[in-house]
């Protein structure tokens, strides 16, 4: 039974990420269109049904599947194929420690949690796993045997290593407040009141983490590894067909993970504003068991928070221009890193003074 | 079950380690080292030390090996230039590694299985490791960080001297 439940979780939770990807691609196109005063995708239709442009995704999939899959003659074939696989692997494995709702104590005393694994180092696990995604880009750039791809790969690796440090240090302040690295504990520690959430207790850490996560996912204003106007398409310039699609999907999957982590760390995760888990269970309607109702509402609110941060990703991409490369490095090392260290110092002093 | 996973992860670690030495392509060697480090991290998880495991991934596989690969890609050494002749350094390496191998084998041969002790649920967690680092092992910990600081400063000094124009 326990094995079956775990198996179901393994199937369902990564599926959630996969299913968000087409939605995000649609959102990216629509939001960018409305920001630029256009209508966005509105031509693809099945029997006249357009679903506001969602059908366009199906057309995309058919196009990507039927295109010729080219491996360049000078490429290192093994790493060329391995690279996109690493990207998807990293996204699906990282989602394992994200809690979607409060734990439920079952009748027999067992605890049922809405996450794959409640590690006591959950947060570090996410940092560790997502730090592996740099290999995907590095290998893609190198194995393509293309100058532009190589430049993109080098840019990506130096950028991701630099911003990983800021990301880790921004998270340290959160660890100090919560006294635990388990994501479930961090979420529970924030409580249902919005002004107790870490975004208000740790505003500096929030902005540092947000900026670093944009750099880690290679999104504008940190999308120098792709930099269309300088190096064509960067590390995935030689990729076509479904291998390109994997990079495309991997970017959005990484966005979902980054949004979920940001929501858990700073926006109270599955906490419903003003309603604790107990209050939700009291409020449950007759036709649903109270625990199921509470979990459902919490998961929905968490999903809304994830989608909000995904929207923020898109919003920022179509608003801000790209950094110049030296600006990017200086910003990371000389501005964000000292600020993150300063934030840890202030948090430490605060924890010492305030009991 | 646990034994199966132990052998699986050991196999991953060892085959990775063998490939590091045996593979003619430098980049593939470095990638095999990552696989090997990944296997070691998995072994740490089996030993109920999740913190050490994640640190192994985060620092070695996630940061240090990236720099290795970065340098390999920039220099792009030719693939079939394996050192065939014996140098002094190589001889020294063989001596030291065979010494270590003998110690390891002796340790395994003379190994007595200890009594199984129930470990607390907190074992190997962030809190536990942190308390040990900042109480029992404070001095080694601080000395190590000092060593790293010296290494960083040394790298910066060396890097600055090689600037064109001779500014130091």
């Amino acid at each position: 039974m326990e094995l079956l439940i775990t198996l179901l979780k393994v199937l369902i939770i990564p599926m959630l990420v996969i299913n968000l990807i087409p939605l995000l691609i649609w959102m990216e196109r629509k939001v960018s269109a409305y920001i630029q005063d256009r209508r966005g995708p509105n031509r693809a239709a099945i029997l006249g049904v357009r679903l506001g442009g969602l059908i366009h995704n199906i057309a995309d999939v058919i196009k990507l599947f039927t295109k010729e899959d080219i491996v360049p003659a000078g490429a290192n074939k093994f790493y060329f194929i391995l690279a996109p696989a690493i990207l998807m692997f990293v996204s699906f494995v990282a989602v394992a420690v994200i809690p979607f709702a409060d734990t439920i104590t079952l009748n027999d005393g067992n605890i049922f949690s809405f996450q794959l694994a409640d590690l006591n180092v959950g947060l570090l696990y996410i940092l560790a796993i997502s730090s592996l995604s740099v290999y995907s880009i590095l290998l893609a750039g190198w194995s393509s045997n293309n100058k532009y791809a190589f430049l993109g790969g080098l840019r990506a690796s130096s950028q991701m290593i630099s911003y990983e440090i800021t990301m880790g240090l921004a998270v340290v302040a959160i660890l100090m407040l919560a006294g635990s690295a388990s994501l479930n504990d961090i979420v529970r520690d924030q409580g249902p009141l919005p002004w107790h959430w870490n975004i208000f207790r740790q505003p500096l850490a929030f902005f540092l983490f947000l900026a670093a996560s944009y750099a880690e996912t290679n999104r504008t204003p940190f999308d120098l590894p792709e930099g269309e106007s300088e190096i064509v398409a960067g590390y995935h310039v030689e990729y076509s067909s479904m291998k390109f699609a994997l990079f495309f999907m991997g970017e959005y999957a990484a966005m979902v993970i980054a949004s979920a982590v940001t929501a858990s760390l700073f926006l109270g995760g599955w906490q419903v504003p003003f309603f604790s888990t107990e209050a939700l269970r009291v409020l449950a309607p007759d036709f649903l068991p109270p625990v199921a109702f509470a979990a459902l509402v919490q998961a929905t609110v968490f999903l809304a928070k994830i989608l909000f941060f995904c929207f923020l990703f898109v919003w920022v991409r179509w608003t801000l221009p790209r950094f110049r490369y030296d600006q990017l490095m200086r910003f990371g090392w000389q501005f964000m890193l000292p600020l993150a260290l300063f934030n840890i110092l202030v948090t430490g002093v605060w924890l010492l003074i305030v009991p | 079950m646990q034994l199966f996973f132990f052998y699986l992860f050991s196999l991953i670690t060892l085959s990775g380690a063998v490939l590091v030495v045996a593979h003619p392509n430098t980049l593939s060697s470095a990638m095999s080292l990552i696989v090997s480090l990944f296997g070691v991290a998995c072994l740490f998880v089996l030993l109920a030390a999740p913190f050490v495991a994640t640190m192994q991934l985060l620092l070695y596989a996630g940061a240090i090996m990236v720099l290795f690969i970065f340098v390999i890609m920039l220099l792009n050494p030719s693939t079939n230039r394996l050192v065939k002749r014996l140098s002094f350094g190589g001889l020294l390496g063989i001596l030291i590694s065979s010494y270590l191998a003998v110690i390891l084998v002796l340790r395994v041969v003379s190994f007595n299985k200890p009594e199984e002790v129930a470990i607390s649920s907190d074992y190997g967690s962030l809190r536990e490791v942190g308390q040990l680092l900042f109480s029992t092992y404070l001095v080694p910990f601080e000395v190590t960080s000092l060593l790293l600081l010296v290494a960083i400063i040394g790298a910066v000094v060396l890097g600055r001297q090689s600037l064109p124009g001779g500014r130091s």
Side-chain angles (χ1 to χ4, degrees):
Chain A
M1 188 62 190
E2 206 168 302
L3 196 71
L4 194 73
I5 288 176
T6 313
L7 213 66
L8 272 178
K9 280 192 205 167
V10 170
L11 282 177
I12 290 173
I13 293 178
M15 274 300 148
L16 223 108
V17 180
I18 290 196
N19 281 313
L20 277 175
I21 292 172
L23 192 69
L24 287 188
I25 293 174
W26 170 77
M27 189 160 90
E28 176 110 81
R29 288 182 177 145
K30 274 295 180 190
V31 172
S32 69
Y34 281 111
I35 284 177
Q36 297 167 346
D37 220 1
R38 297 183 282 120
R39 293 299 296 276
N42 61 356
R43 285 292 175 270
I46 297 177
L47 301 174
V49 180
R50 294 197 294 254
L51 283 177
L54 263 175
I55 298 297
H56 198 87
N57 283 333
I58 298 176
D60 266 347
V61 171
I62 295 171
K63 179 188 80 177
L64 286 166
F65 263 120
T66 50
K67 274 203 168 183
E68 189 188 355
D69 192 0
I70 300 166
V71 178
N76 184 324
K77 207 172 173 197
F78 178 68
Y79 291 124
F80 192 76
I81 295 170
L82 183 70
I86 294 179
L87 197 64
M88 289 310 274
F89 164 79
V90 164
S91 302
F92 289 147
V93 174
V95 81
V97 292
I98 291 169
F100 286 88
D102 201 359
T103 51
I104 295 173
T105 313
L106 300 175
N107 291 332
D108 53 357
N110 284 333
I111 290 175
F112 181 84
S113 58
F114 287 86
Q115 69 195 111
L116 261 172
D118 190 6
L119 299 179
N120 60 16
V121 289
L123 191 47
L124 297 172
Y125 167 85
I126 286 191
L127 288 180
I129 291 292
S130 59
S131 73
L132 293 180
S133 68
V134 63
Y135 289 116
S136 155
I137 294 173
L138 205 54
L139 285 177
W142 181 80
S143 66
S144 299
N145 199 15
N146 174 311
K147 286 194 185 81
Y148 293 127
F150 186 58
L151 279 176
L154 287 186
R155 281 182 175 194
S157 58
S158 48
Q159 168 184 328
M160 284 169 94
I161 281 203
S162 308
Y163 282 80
E164 217 164 68
I165 299 171
T166 309
M167 198 178 210
L169 288 177
V171 157
V172 167
I174 303 296
L175 295 187
M176 288 162 76
L177 274 187
S180 165
S182 149
L183 277 174
N184 221 348
D185 288 350
I186 293 173
V187 170
R188 206 171 284 132
D189 176 65
Q190 297 179 57
L193 298 175
W195 52 88
H196 286 168
W197 290 349
N198 280 335
I199 183 171
F200 295 113
R201 292 198 292 181
Q202 286 284 345
L204 189 57
F206 172 70
F207 284 111
L208 290 172
F209 187 86
L210 201 68
S213 68
Y214 282 40
E216 290 286 302
T217 47
N218 296 320
R219 294 281 299 187
T220 321
F222 301 101
D223 71 337
L224 287 109
E226 294 176 36
E228 304 89 339
S229 51
E230 303 155 21
I231 48 173
V232 195
Y235 56 92
H236 58 54
V237 64
E238 292 284 4
Y239 282 84
S240 54
S241 186
M242 272 318 277
K243 288 204 200 73
F244 167 74
L246 275 182
F247 275 116
F248 196 59
M249 285 160 67
E251 182 182 329
Y252 288 95
M255 265 169 68
V256 174
I257 306 295
S259 303
V261 175
T262 320
S264 302
L265 290 184
F266 295 98
L267 221 58
W270 42 254
Q271 299 274 11
V272 183
F274 305 110
F275 289 101
S276 64
T277 312
E278 288 73 28
L280 279 175
R281 283 175 188 167
V282 172
L283 281 175
D286 295 332
F287 56 88
L288 266 179
V291 281
F293 175 74
L296 207 65
V297 174
Q298 284 172 341
T300 312
V301 168
F302 185 49
L303 208 62
K305 287 173 184 171
I306 292 180
L307 284 177
F308 167 73
F309 277 113
C310 290
F311 172 73
L312 202 64
F313 266 105
V314 176
W315 189 7
V316 167
R317 169 168 177 187
W318 297 99
T319 309
L320 295 179
R322 185 179 299 138
F323 274 114
R324 218 173 52 216
Y325 197 69
D326 57 323
Q327 289 173 336
L328 173 98
M329 280 296 152
R330 198 170 302 134
F331 184 68
W333 286 101
Q334 298 189 351
F335 182 72
M336 294 204 6
L337 186 64
L339 263 187
L341 287 171
F342 173 73
N343 189 42
I344 292 177
L345 185 76
V346 171
T347 311
V349 171
W350 173 267
L351 283 176
L352 268 183
I353 296 171
V354 181
Chain B
M1 191 74 166
Q2 206 171 12
L3 206 65
F4 167 73
F5 278 114
F6 173 75
Y7 283 119
L8 180 71
F9 296 147
S10 306
L11 188 73
I12 293 174
T13 311
L14 287 179
S15 48
V18 168
L19 274 178
V20 174
V21 188
H23 207 285
N25 188 330
T26 328
L27 188 86
S28 294
S29 284
M31 289 306 289
S32 326
L33 188 52
I34 296 168
V35 172
S36 184
L37 290 169
F38 198 83
V40 174
C42 293
L43 285 175
F44 278 131
V45 173
L46 269 191
L47 288 171
F51 176 66
V52 185
T54 46
M55 279 300 124
Q56 172 94 9
L57 267 190
L58 189 61
L59 296 179
Y60 284 96
I64 293 175
M65 286 314 293
V66 176
L67 293 180
F68 271 50
I69 289 188
F70 197 87
V71 171
I72 290 173
M73 283 179 177
L74 274 181
L75 299 179
N76 214 1
S78 60
T79 48
N80 48 6
R81 211 178 48 191
L82 265 178
V83 182
K84 285 287 192 298
R85 62 204 158 73
L86 211 59
S87 61
F88 175 70
L91 206 65
L92 203 68
I94 290 173
L95 276 176
I96 292 176
S97 50
S98 49
Y99 173 66
L100 283 175
V102 166
I103 290 181
L104 264 179
V105 169
L106 283 180
R107 182 87 183 93
V108 171
V109 167
S110 67
F111 181 71
N112 297 320
K113 199 179 177 212
E115 288 176 39
E116 283 184 20
V117 194
I119 52 170
S120 65
S121 62
D122 221 20
Y123 181 83
S125 72
L126 194 58
R127 186 184 302 274
E128 201 90 333
V129 174
Q131 266 164 2
L132 275 179
L133 272 185
F134 285 104
S135 57
T136 319
Y137 300 105
L138 180 65
V139 176
F141 180 68
E142 292 296 334
V143 169
T144 314
S145 61
L146 205 66
L147 188 70
L148 287 175
L149 185 67
V150 170
I152 291 171
I153 293 173
V156 170
V157 168
L158 286 176
R160 293 204 84 173
Q161 273 174 351
S162 59
L163 269 180
R167 282 186 299 125
S168 64

